[in-house]
Amino acid sequence: MEPIRRQQLIQATMAAIDEVGLADATVARIARHAGVSAGIISHYFGGKDGLLEATMRRILSDLGDAVAARRRDRPDDSPRAQLQAIIEGNFDRSQVTGPVAKTWLAFWASSMHKPALQRLQQVNDRRLHSNLCAQFRRLMPRDEAHRAAQALAAVIDGLWLRGALTPEGLDAKAARRTALATLDQLLDAAPHPVH
Amino acid sequence: MEPIRRQQLIQATMAAIDEVGLADATVARIARHAGVSAGIISHYFGGKDGLLEATMRRILSDLGDAVAARRRDRPDDSPRAQLQAIIEGNFDRSQVTGPVAKTWLAFWASSMHKPALQRLQQVNDRRLHSNLCAQFRRLMPRDEAHRAAQALAAVIDGLWLRGALTPEGLDAKAARRTALATLDQLLDAAPHPVH
DNA sequence: CTTTATTGATTGAACGTTCAATAAAAAAAT
DNA sequence: ATTTTTTTATTGAACGTTCAATCAATAAAG
């Protein structure tokens, strides 16, 4: 029963946040979305905070899985191919859907003042940056790779942010194209591989 | 008295949001920051929502002023110079400071479900995009200019987002450098001016 | 004296958590 | 196989807390 309820409640949390925002996502509303009683939340997650943390953990975990899968399925091990896989993983279908994107941004804002969420966010942030950096590092000096990784990460997050905010939701195809174009420019700007 | 109190309360709102986040920025706390009673807020802003809207309006207005000032002070009217001015205006000192950046992100997340804030945010968004687009348009075809503007806007917002979240606050100098480098790449990629 | 500015206690609504009661399921005993 | 016992799962009303808004009372200014 436990894994079923946890999954139901995490999904219901995203649905509620998508519907009315984090501020108005009360335990009563979340429970109603899941078709259960409000008391269940404290029973399985120890309280509302526990449920919110579990929900953010799930989103970041799914995002990491999407990136890892794209990289694994790509036989080409070249830096450009791997960077493309990372970008495409970040704009994976399941991640840019309305509820997930909105919940993600809500947590991001919330993590500014909640240490538990801030830790999760920083771990995810560092993982993305080191993934990008490692690939750029194969093509350019350290400082340059660092800057390229920062620029690409900013583009990815910026597109997510704007996508979460537009009423129509993120245009995944256009976002992917923009991010890939930025990648190409970053690579063309430093065409001197480090042997 | 009125303009003084309004200014005090708007500043106090940013201070409170910087301190404990939007969720815990109660009217009592904001009033305490301003050194006045809680009842004053309803008197001058009609309620808490009015104060929050006025605060967001102030942030966006200050941002617009910073950009306009940078463009005005720049004698060079070339596209590149104007785009640089827009970028530098977006990373103006008064805007990237802790309280302002955190409040800005908090409102951005909140605007997903509050129509009043969403309108403000969209107006600001469209202004940035059309400013960028108009300059790129002088150097490349329409579609290409549109895409370049989207990419640069994503970088700017992404840098803001990441800056608001890092505990140390945004490194304005590094952010400006990253955005300007992206601009240079966008311009170099399309070196065929439309006469 | 009149108007404006300000206070702060009060009010009613909304929220998260708790917990005793109940239902369902599983295990044990007959 | 049936009944009894034990454990687990779930409910929803009650409780205490917190908050925004109100408004009569007071102070200051014109």
Side-chain angles (χ1 to χ4, degrees):
Chain A
M1 232 356 44
E2 183 164 334
I4 295 173
R5 287 276 173 269
R6 289 180 72 95
Q7 166 64 17
Q8 278 181 341
L9 287 168
I10 287 175
Q11 269 192 250
T13 302
M14 297 192 210
I17 292 177
D18 178 50
E19 193 179 290
V20 294
L22 181 55
D24 292 326
T26 65
V27 293
R29 192 184 290 270
I30 294 171
R32 182 148 35 86
H33 261 281
V36 296
S37 167
I40 285 288
I41 289 176
S42 290
H43 185 245
Y44 282 118
F45 292 94
K48 193 188 181 184
D49 285 348
L51 173 57
L52 295 180
E53 187 178 330
T55 304
M56 183 171 186
R57 207 166 235 128
R58 162 67 55 89
I59 288 179
L60 297 183
S61 154
D62 285 353
L63 178 58
D65 289 351
V67 171
R70 295 267 184 169
R71 296 184 68 179
R72 207 181 317 110
D73 293 353
R74 187 154 311 214
D76 185 351
D77 193 47
S78 73
R80 170 173 253 132
Q82 288 297 306
L83 286 165
Q84 279 183 5
I86 294 173
I87 288 172
E88 282 168 13
N90 270 281
F91 292 105
D92 187 274
R93 273 298 160 84
S94 64
Q95 292 294 318
V96 295
T97 308
V100 176
K102 276 185 178 155
T103 305
W104 172 84
L105 178 52
F107 279 137
W108 204 329
S110 183
S111 78
M112 283 191 295
H113 297 95
K114 297 204 174 179
L117 299 184
Q118 194 164 32
R119 273 201 319 275
L120 292 178
Q121 191 274 327
Q122 278 195 8
V123 167
N124 193 64
D125 190 37
R126 275 199 264 272
R127 185 183 55 190
L128 172 61
H129 186 269
S130 77
N131 277 346
L132 294 175
C133 228
Q135 297 303 322
F136 280 120
R137 191 69 187 79
R138 296 164 64 190
L139 298 170
M140 53 189 80
R142 191 164 55 86
D143 285 7
E144 217 171 316
H146 187 79
R147 283 198 290 269
Q150 275 193 327
L152 190 52
V155 171
I156 291 172
D157 287 342
L159 289 169
W160 264 79
L161 177 64
R162 304 182 134 252
L165 223 72
T166 54
E168 313 89 33
L170 178 61
D171 180 350
K173 192 180 279 185
R176 224 180 349 244
R177 198 183 51 209
T178 302
L180 290 174
T182 303
L183 169 61
D184 285 344
Q185 286 162 14
L186 287 169
L187 294 179
D188 289 350
H192 307 301
V194 172
H195 50 272
Chain B
M1 235 351 49
E2 181 164 335
I4 295 174
R5 287 277 173 269
R6 288 181 72 94
Q7 166 64 18
Q8 278 181 341
L9 287 168
I10 286 174
Q11 267 191 249
T13 303
M14 297 191 211
I17 291 177
D18 178 50
E19 193 179 288
V20 295
L22 181 55
D24 292 327
T26 65
V27 292
R29 182 172 240 121
I30 293 171
R32 182 150 33 89
H33 261 281
V36 296
S37 166
I40 286 288
I41 289 175
S42 289
H43 185 244
Y44 282 119
F45 293 94
K48 192 187 181 184
D49 284 350
L51 172 56
L52 295 180
E53 187 178 330
T55 304
M56 184 171 185
R57 206 166 236 128
R58 164 66 55 88
I59 288 179
L60 296 182
S61 155
D62 286 353
L63 177 59
D65 290 350
V67 171
R70 295 265 184 169
R71 296 185 67 178
R72 208 181 318 111
D73 293 354
R74 187 156 309 216
D76 185 351
D77 193 47
S78 71
R80 168 172 253 132
Q82 288 297 307
L83 287 165
Q84 279 183 5
I86 294 173
I87 288 172
E88 281 168 14
N90 270 280
F91 293 104
D92 186 274
R93 271 299 158 84
S94 64
Q95 293 294 319
V96 296
T97 308
V100 176
K102 277 185 178 153
T103 306
W104 172 85
L105 178 52
F107 279 137
W108 204 328
S110 183
S111 77
M112 282 191 295
H113 297 96
K114 298 206 172 175
L117 300 185
Q118 193 165 32
R119 274 201 320 275
L120 293 178
Q121 190 274 327
Q122 278 195 9
V123 169
N124 192 65
D125 189 37
R126 275 199 264 271
R127 185 182 56 191
L128 172 61
H129 185 269
S130 76
N131 277 346
L132 294 175
C133 227
Q135 297 303 322
F136 279 121
R137 190 71 188 75
R138 296 164 64 190
L139 297 170
M140 53 189 82
R142 190 165 54 84
D143 285 7
E144 217 172 317
H146 187 78
R147 283 198 291 269
Q150 276 194 326
L152 189 53
V155 171
I156 291 171
D157 287 343
L159 289 169
W160 265 80
L161 177 63
R162 304 182 135 253
L165 223 72
T166 54
E168 312 88 34
L170 178 61
D171 180 350
K173 191 179 282 185
R176 223 179 350 244
R177 198 183 50 209
T178 302
L180 290 174
T182 303
L183 169 61
D184 285 343
Q185 286 163 13
L186 287 169
L187 294 179
D188 289 350
H192 307 301
V194 174
H195 50 269

